[in-house]
Amino acid sequence: MAEDRIRYDILAQDALRGVMRKVLTEVARTGLPGEHHFFITFLTHAPGVRVSSRLRERYPEQMTIVLQYQYWDLKVSETGFEVGLSFADVPEMLSVPFSAVRGFYDPSVNFELEFDVKPEQGEHSADITEVYPEEAAEEPQKPATKKKPAKKARKEKAEAENASEQEEAPASEGKGAEVVSLDAFRKK
């Protein structure tokens, strides 16, 4: 087989990110139409990701946000998006480059995009990702630990995080953001 010097795989990923960018741009302009809402999964330590140290400590590898009822100030650029969400009644601003997004899912129409994003190798440092200055001063960063590369270990960790979050969070209808695992929506 001939070597792919055009890199169709990269071109296809960029085109699909363009679909996500176009959808988010329209939602930022006009709001969510009908029953549409989005689950967006991204790597928390990818270059350019800005989340508070509190969220980064809680979700050291990746997190999934839901854009449905409680979000504000959605701004979309050519390279990423910013959005305000509430986590356990604490307002947060997140900035996520499209290159850090692993998944985009709209359950209202069962539409899903998955992106091939490689986690950063080695220790995580402030020059790789940004931390809001006010958060950095309040909470010290937890040192990074070596992570098991096994897919099963990541899945078990995500399920454990979701279970512990459900136990910790008070039941409130329509309040705050919800971080969930997309595994529950995947076909097996």
Side-chain angles (χ1 to χ4, degrees), residues 57-75:
E57 186 174 299
R58 186 163 188 167
Y59 304 101
E61 291 180 31
Q62 70 180 18
M63 69 185 291
T64 298
I65 58 173
V66 179
L67 299 185
Q68 186 171 14
Y69 300 118
Q70 300 283 326
Y71 70 90
W72 60 90
D73 293 337
L74 176 61
K75 294 180 182 113

Side-chain angles (χ1 to χ4, degrees), residues 41-43 62 100-104 113-117 119 154:
T41 302
F42 61 93
L43 297 178
Q62 70 180 18
V101 174
R102 294 189 81 174
F104 178 86
L113 297 173
E114 288 188 33
F115 302 103
D116 187 23
V117 180
R154 286 192 302 270

Side-chain angles (χ1 to χ4, degrees), residues 157-170:
K157 182 176 181 180
E159 289 170 356
E161 284 178 350
N162 288 336
S164 69
E165 178 152 318
Q166 289 173 358
E167 291 170 8
E168 292 173 13

Side-chain angles (χ1 to χ4, degrees), residues 103-125:
F104 178 86
Y105 180 58
D106 183 345
S108 69
V109 292
N110 199 23
F111 178 77
E112 181 175 10
L113 297 173
E114 288 188 33
F115 302 103
D116 187 23
V117 180
K118 304 288 188 239
E120 290 293 312
Q121 299 297 320
E123 296 292 314
H124 302 298
S125 62

